[in-house]
Amino acid sequence: MKKFLLFLLILILLLFLYCFFFRKGGCCIGRGQKPDTANHWVNWNVLFTPASVGDAPATMKQFEDSLRKYITDSNSAAILKFTYHHCPCDTLLTNMDVTAIYPSGNPVSPPPTKPPIGPSGDFTVGNNFMTYTPEFKDSVKTDTPGLSQYNVHITTQGSKSSKLLAVIDTGLDSVGFQHAHHGTIWVGDMLWKDPLRDNTIYDVVLGENTGDLRDQTKVRHGTAVTEIVLNQLHLLHGQTPKIMSIRAFDDSEIGSIYTVSCALSYAIQNNANFINASWGYFGSEDSVLLKYLLKANAKNIPVIAAAGNTPGIHDPGQVCNAGENTLNFLNRLKTKDSLFYPAAFAPIIPNLVSVTQLHNISNSPDPSLQFFPCYYQNYSSDFITVGAFDNTQTNTYQCCKFTAKVYSETNPIEGSSFATPAITARLMNDFSVGATDIKSFININSSKSTSAAQFTLKGSYYTFVQLP
């Protein structure tokens, strides 16, 4: 009898070891199978109003209950795990990220597109779409030798502008910037600091320290955007504004509606004079993002947004193609409910400006009759407010490309992300905030071209140059 019990114990132990080492614990959970996990099964942003935010805990509990009922109606073994994120500067904005866990091999219901049953109240709910810089999926750099770097030397000498520019992007590499532009002083000079907080918010990316001032992306996207604005302002009048740098995109240049909305909220609360938004997403319009853009509009804060680019690889030889790339026609994308936002909100928001880049296909002295959009950038006379035309006249000039000291001189960059800050600088230099809405100002003061009339609103464009 003792031998039998000993044999039985050894058999149970061997079975347990087999279960643990060969089945990775699976036979002990869910009949020999490891549960499957659907991360971000639901990922919603909820924007409350000041009147409804006190009911937020009860409202989120109602969301939880309704989602649990929704999934268990189709799979009673499924369970949900809820994770919440709260904007560090805005108690009205909450992100709800839901993970679905269910037995391996069992189908799980697709997530609802909106709350299946009601919490009812004064709030807005939207999907937390991924956002990215337009160059995220592009060949951002083109290896064309022979281009000269900027000669502009940005220093703190000269006149200071009282204007505040919020750059919502991948952050700011202030050390790299100082290395490229000797004498630039960020801390205590050009870098804005929050007068109401002990710690300025520089970063709203989930999982990162809000006090981190950095840009570690491959191409230093946010740093390049900031540099283009400052270079253009220096060329125009030699003035330097305060820069509010808010990192809403991670090192892969990926953000979300939640991160950009949180960043917009911070810029709006602190009365930025302009907001540069060299980012977006393809898809349907988002109600939460729209609310924040309308808040900026209500405070007469112009938001300058990139038109967006063709996703995928960009052939350097086609960047200045003398033809129309109909794949980038936003009216075509509208039929597929896949516009590029926030640029596509421009027709309904007076203080939102959308920017594409134009080039002169003839290289004639009079460019007004020869415009085409840069081959890989979105265009539409309905959705794009204004074009940026690089009128640089040098032997090394190449259209639709930018040079920046934060890069090697042999690695120019291209895309609507970089045309956008060129227009931001022009408008910061010329426009008095509050005098009128920004689009009315552009309509009166920008140049017009009949050949650009199908690419931008009324054929509007501004010229700029890259080199002194």
Side-chain angles (χ1 to χ4, degrees):
M1 187 66 178
K2 291 182 179 179
K3 290 182 178 180
F4 175 77
L5 291 174
L6 181 61
F7 173 79
L8 185 61
L9 287 173
I10 293 172
L11 184 63
I12 292 172
L13 178 62
L14 290 173
L15 180 62
F16 174 81
L17 291 174
Y18 172 80
C19 172
F20 184 81
F21 288 106
F22 292 92
R23 302 296 295 276
K24 297 181 181 178
C27 62
C28 304
I29 302 174
R31 298 181 181 180
Q33 293 181 329
K34 187 177 180 179
D36 286 335
T37 300
N39 294 316
H40 315 299
W41 178 73
V42 158
N43 196 340
W44 286 340
N45 297 315
V46 186
L47 176 60
F48 294 94
T49 66
S52 65
V53 70
D55 297 325
T59 299
M60 302 313 292
K61 178 63 166 56
Q62 286 182 285
F63 279 132
E64 290 186 16
D65 293 343
S66 65
L67 287 170
R68 286 193 178 99
K69 182 180 186 306
Y70 175 89
I71 197 169
T72 55
D73 283 348
S74 62
N75 189 336
S76 60
I79 60 173
L80 299 179
K81 178 183 177 182
F82 294 85
T83 302
Y84 291 99
H85 305 105
H86 305 281
C87 177
C89 64
D90 190 343
T91 58
L92 304 182
L93 179 62
T94 295
N95 170 257
M96 181 177 71
D97 190 2
V98 186
T99 301
I101 303 170
Y102 51 98
S104 178
N106 286 20
V108 64
S109 299
T113 56
K114 58 183 179 180
I117 57 175
S120 59
D122 191 10
F123 53 81
T124 303
V125 181
N127 285 307
N128 191 31
F129 298 124
M130 181 185 79
T131 58
Y132 54 89
T133 66
E135 285 66 41
F136 159 68
K137 295 182 179 180
D138 310 341
S139 55
V140 183
K141 294 184 181 180
T142 56
D143 297 324
T144 305
L147 288 178
S148 299
Q149 296 176 340
Y150 279 124
N151 293 326
V152 176
H153 190 65
I154 301 218
T155 71
T156 57
Q157 300 173 2
S159 61
K160 299 285 178 59
S161 168
S162 61
K163 292 178 180 177
L164 173 62
L165 169 65
V167 180
I168 298 174
D169 215 287
T170 61
L172 177 66
D173 179 2
S174 58
V175 175
F177 197 105
Q178 285 174 317
H179 180 74
H181 298 280
H182 304 293
T184 302
I185 300 174
W186 283 105
V187 178
D189 190 18
M190 291 204 317
L191 185 65
W192 176 84
K193 297 194 73 174
D194 194 330
L196 302 178
R197 292 173 176 265
D198 292 334
N199 298 308
T200 302
I201 294 175
Y202 297 119
D203 190 331
V204 294
V205 174
L206 295 179
E208 296 183 0
N209 190 315
T210 58
D212 282 351
L213 178 68
R214 59 172 173 165
D215 180 5
Q216 297 176 343
T217 55
K218 182 179 179 181
V219 297
R220 300 296 193 267
H221 190 276
T223 307
V225 165
T226 304
E227 181 182 14
I228 290 169
V229 173
L230 294 176
N231 272 298
Q232 288 301 310
L233 285 171
H234 184 86
L235 285 170
L236 289 166
H237 276 157
Q239 293 188 333
T240 54
K242 289 282 188 181
I243 299 295
M244 176 191 292
S245 176
I246 313 173
R247 176 175 157 96
F249 297 82
D250 64 18
D251 290 344
S252 300
E253 299 183 47
I254 297 174
S256 68
I257 296 295
Y258 168 78
T259 60
V260 297
S261 295
C262 184
L264 281 167
S265 180
Y266 195 51
I268 294 165
Q269 290 174 47
N270 288 284
N271 301 307
N273 298 114
F274 284 81
I275 298 173
N276 191 94
S278 290
W279 44 264
Y281 69 95
F282 285 102
S284 56
E285 69 175 55
D286 178 75
S287 55
V288 172
L289 177 59
L290 177 59
K291 290 275 188 180
Y292 280 102
L293 293 170
L294 290 172
K295 287 183 179 184
N297 184 72
K299 293 187 73 171
N300 294 315
I301 302 174
V303 177
I304 318 301
N309 304 339
T310 307
I313 299 299
H314 292 183
D315 179 356
Q318 293 294 313
V319 170
C320 289
N321 186 309
E324 181 179 348
N325 183 356
T326 57
L327 293 177
N328 292 99
F329 186 36
L330 288 175
N331 294 59
R332 179 190 70 85
L333 294 174
K334 182 182 178 181
T335 65
K336 303 177 182 297
D337 195 25
S338 187
L339 287 168
F340 191 78
Y341 292 97
F345 282 130
I348 63 172
I349 301 178
N351 283 303
L352 194 152
V353 174
S354 50
V355 179
T356 197
Q357 190 171 0
L358 302 173
H359 68 106
N360 173 21
I361 65 172
S362 69
N363 291 319
S364 67
D366 179 9
S368 63
L369 302 178
Q370 304 294 329
F371 278 138
F372 268 90
C374 295
Y375 193 72
Y376 291 112
Q377 297 185 31
N378 293 337
Y379 64 90
S380 164
S381 60
D382 293 329
F383 295 104
I384 303 305
T385 310
V386 67
F389 171 57
D390 185 353
N391 198 27
T392 303
Q393 302 294 323
T394 68
N395 293 331
T396 57
Y397 166 72
Q398 295 187 26
C399 76
C400 298
K401 296 172 184 168
F402 288 81
T403 54
K405 267 197 166 184
V406 291
Y407 302 123
S408 163
E409 66 177 2
T410 60
N411 285 296
I413 49 179
E414 53 92 14
S416 59
S417 278
F418 307 114
T420 300
I423 294 297
T424 295
R426 279 299 305 263
L427 295 174
M428 285 189 74
N429 186 74
D430 300 340
F431 178 65
S432 297
V433 176
T436 181
D437 69 80
I438 191 75
K439 277 206 282 292
S440 296
F441 176 86
I442 291 171
N443 183 48
I444 295 170
N445 293 280
S446 66
S447 300
K448 302 289 190 297
S449 167
T450 55
S451 68
Q454 58 184 315
F455 308 131
T456 68
L457 180 64
K458 299 182 180 179
S460 297
Y461 71 96
Y462 281 100
T463 61
F464 68 97
V465 294
Q466 292 199 55
L467 299 173

